[in-house]
Amino acid sequence: MNKILRGTIVTLVVAVCIALSYMLITFPPVMAGMAAKTMCSCVFVSGRTPQSVKDKELQVFPGLASLDIEILPDSSVTTSLLWHTSKAIFRKGLGCTLLAERSEAAVRNQRINLPLPPVPNLTARWPSGNVVTTVHPPGVDVQRVEKAVASAFQEIDPDNPVFTHAVVVVYDGNIIAERYAAGFDSNSRLMGWSMTKSISNALIGILVKEKKLGVEDPAPVGEWRNDVRKDITINHLLQASSGLSWSESYFIPTSDFHEMFIHSDDKAAFAASRTLEHPPGTFFEYSSGTTNLLSRIIRQTTGDSVYYKFPYEKLFYKLGMHTAVLETDASGTFVLSSYCFASARDWARFGMLYLNDGLWNGERILPEGWVQYSTTPAPAATHGQYGAQIWLNRGSPGDSLATEFPGLPNETILFEGFERNFVAIIPSKKLVVVRLGVTHNNNLSMANLVNEIIQSLPK
């Protein structure tokens, strides 16, 4: 064997060993952490069976459902893979929290001032309540709407299921179609994933209305006081244009996303530690990290005595969103990038708030002009794809076809999350479409579903 060949083989062996070592170090914490947090939330927040979670949510990565998962009597979940064990704990009113750096005792002993939920009015009609009367507005092809909704549940490939859990269609303020998969109903709390980012928009908007924050204010981040990051504004954070370095990849275990979600108890502090890569306002970078910074800013602005009541009393309860639950990280800050559970009807109510320009039953929840600001494309979002924590579909200047979501109307306002979860708002049609589920493939088309419903409405 000549020296060149021998050297090549040695190099390959070393490379393989490094790759295997990398996988052994990085994959187990991510896989175990994802499984523990997902199982905990779906079981204790949504009321699901462990098997249904294994069959659906945990199919996102091959082998995830086969991990050693234990549901404990103290309302917690542990998951083990090779040398690593992860644990997520449930606390009433706060959902589930994945432990990373702090002890379980320290997290469970946090003093949280939770809101008192209002007494539900069981006779209140939609949208304030849940008494829904079937409405067939003039000009609406109801059968076509129902057929479109049914198509979202149709399984065309057993090896690549869509696993739609719920669809709700609201037209002109009325629910005109609604359907749930077996095991789910109108009260089922369902994960919105990054749809939650739009809730951060609303909460910042409320603080702007109360004159406690301004969008052009420098972001009050203590870690940035003495360096170039002090020029980042709240507006830059809202528009995902902070200029901070960030990798959002969900499938690379060492990405900033997983470093924050799996290894950090204080997700805002992790995001604040990122370096400046671009001048603020010049580069669009979708980032769960900057959303969690916004959540900490909300916490600092309201104070802990108010913070945990604030989203509920100032937003959810006013809209009748009584199923909504926001989860916190181990530091006690809401994970507004990703962790809100709510029923499909409640997600529809949230969409209606933006359809109605921030008004609800005559009360101005969001400040005047806030929805217009929030749905104006960020200057750095060159395809007109993002406003303020809200996805858009405007297209590039001069090219309305160069869109983020081909096939959807350019006017679409979108709260969009992982696994094809979305709230689509079509203002000119007075339409809100909610779809919630667990889709890990391309067998469900958001554009086809929404467009078919649009074609069912009066011209």
Side-chain angles (χ1 to χ4, degrees):
M1 184 181 298
N2 61 45
K3 291 183 178 180
I4 295 176
L5 181 58
R6 187 164 53 244
T8 300
I9 293 173
V10 170
T11 300
L12 288 173
V13 170
V14 170
V16 170
C17 290
I18 292 174
L20 289 173
S21 299
Y22 171 85
M23 292 177 64
L24 286 171
I25 293 171
T26 60
F27 271 90
V30 171
M31 300 286 277
M34 286 176 55
K37 169 63 179 64
T38 300
M39 181 64 75
C40 185
S41 293
C42 289
V43 169
F44 294 111
V45 179
S46 293
R48 303 264 303 281
T49 66
Q51 190 59 51
S52 74
V53 183
K54 289 182 178 181
D55 291 342
K56 295 181 177 182
E57 279 80 359
L58 296 192
Q59 296 300 326
V60 64
F61 284 112
L64 204 61
S66 62
L67 297 184
D68 182 12
I69 300 174
E70 185 177 6
I71 298 173
L72 302 173
D74 64 350
S75 300
S76 66
V77 174
T78 61
T79 303
S80 299
L81 176 60
L82 299 177
W83 52 270
H84 184 84
T85 297
S86 290
K87 186 171 187 177
I89 63 172
F90 171 75
R91 293 173 292 167
K92 187 175 181 180
L94 297 172
C96 288
T97 300
L98 180 66
L99 302 175
E101 300 165 307
R102 307 182 187 201
S103 70
E104 179 176 352
V107 177
R108 287 196 182 276
N109 288 334
Q110 290 172 348
R111 300 182 64 182
I112 306 292
N113 194 14
L114 292 169
L116 290 174
V119 177
N121 183 346
L122 299 180
T123 62
R125 301 177 66 82
W126 170 268
S128 297
N130 271 324
V131 177
V132 174
T133 302
T134 302
V135 175
H136 295 164
V140 175
D141 187 337
V142 176
Q143 289 185 336
R144 189 171 180 179
V145 174
E146 291 177 346
K147 184 178 179 181
V149 170
S151 71
F153 293 81
Q154 185 177 4
E155 298 293 0
I156 60 176
D157 180 359
D159 295 327
N160 294 287
V162 297
F163 288 145
T164 294
H165 293 161
V167 174
V168 171
V169 180
V170 178
Y171 169 67
D172 199 16
N174 296 302
I175 294 178
I176 62 170
E178 181 176 26
R179 181 166 174 160
Y180 299 92
F184 301 90
D185 58 32
S186 61
N187 294 309
S188 297
R189 290 188 174 101
L190 298 172
M191 170 65 88
W193 288 112
S194 286
M195 288 159 53
T196 309
K197 289 180 171 68
S198 301
I199 293 173
S200 75
N201 168 281
L203 298 179
I204 292 288
I206 292 169
L207 291 174
V208 169
K209 181 167 69 76
E210 295 177 351
K211 302 188 184 307
K212 294 175 180 176
L213 288 176
V215 293
E216 295 301 337
D217 294 345
V221 178
E223 294 94 328
W224 300 348
R225 285 182 188 141
N226 300 314
D227 63 43
V228 292
R229 295 173 297 178
K230 67 181 183 300
D231 295 327
I232 298 172
T233 66
I234 291 173
N235 178 60
H236 293 142
L237 296 178
L238 285 165
Q239 293 186 336
S241 307
S242 68
L244 296 173
S245 63
W246 187 262
S247 57
E248 183 75 7
S249 175
Y250 309 135
F251 299 98
I252 298 176
T254 55
S255 70
D256 290 325
F257 177 87
H258 286 305
E259 288 294 321
M260 178 178 70
F261 276 96
I262 303 300
H263 299 291
S264 175
D265 279 346
D266 189 333
K267 304 190 188 323
F270 177 86
S273 72
R274 301 300 88 187
T275 59
L276 194 68
E277 197 169 52
H278 305 278
T282 65
F283 187 79
F284 173 74
E285 182 81 73
Y286 183 74
S287 168
S288 292
T290 51
T291 308
N292 291 325
L293 273 172
L294 289 168
S295 186
R296 190 176 73 174
I297 289 169
I298 295 167
R299 182 178 182 180
Q300 292 170 348
T301 303
T302 60
D304 277 9
S305 62
V306 173
Y307 177 65
Y308 301 99
K309 297 180 179 181
F310 178 69
Y312 296 90
E313 295 179 347
K314 294 296 182 77
L315 181 64
F316 296 154
Y317 294 163
K318 287 181 179 290
L319 305 187
M321 293 177 63
H322 299 305
T323 67
V325 172
L326 289 173
E327 297 181 314
T328 71
D329 64 15
S331 77
T333 302
F334 290 125
V335 186
L336 290 181
S337 65
S338 314
Y339 292 160
C340 180
F341 283 78
S343 69
R345 287 184 180 181
D346 279 354
W347 284 113
R349 289 182 174 99
F350 187 55
M352 289 174 64
L353 177 67
Y354 285 77
L355 182 66
N356 296 330
D357 192 36
L359 290 167
W360 192 266
N361 289 337
E363 180 181 357
R364 179 154 288 288
I365 306 297
L366 305 177
E368 190 171 354
W370 185 256
V371 172
Q372 181 178 356
Y373 156 74
S374 302
T375 57
T376 298
T382 55
H383 294 292
Q385 74 270 37
Y386 208 72
Q389 299 294 291
I390 293 172
W391 286 101
L392 306 172
N393 207 46
R394 302 294 176 82
S396 301
D399 187 359
S400 62
L401 296 180
T403 61
E404 185 74 18
F405 304 96
L408 284 176
N410 289 117
E411 65 172 311
T412 303
I413 300 167
L414 199 65
F415 311 151
E416 195 261 352
F418 185 52
E419 296 173 333
R420 306 297 173 89
N421 291 290
F422 66 84
V423 178
I425 304 161
I426 315 296
S428 70
K429 295 297 183 181
K430 299 179 285 186
L431 177 68
V432 176
V433 180
V434 177
R435 185 272 176 184
L436 299 167
V438 186
T439 303
H440 304 142
N441 53 68
N442 295 319
N443 284 341
L444 184 135
S445 169
M446 174 168 49
N448 288 350
L449 173 60
V450 172
N451 282 327
E452 185 64 16
I453 293 170
I454 289 173
Q455 293 302 314
S456 309
L457 304 179
K459 303 299 182 183

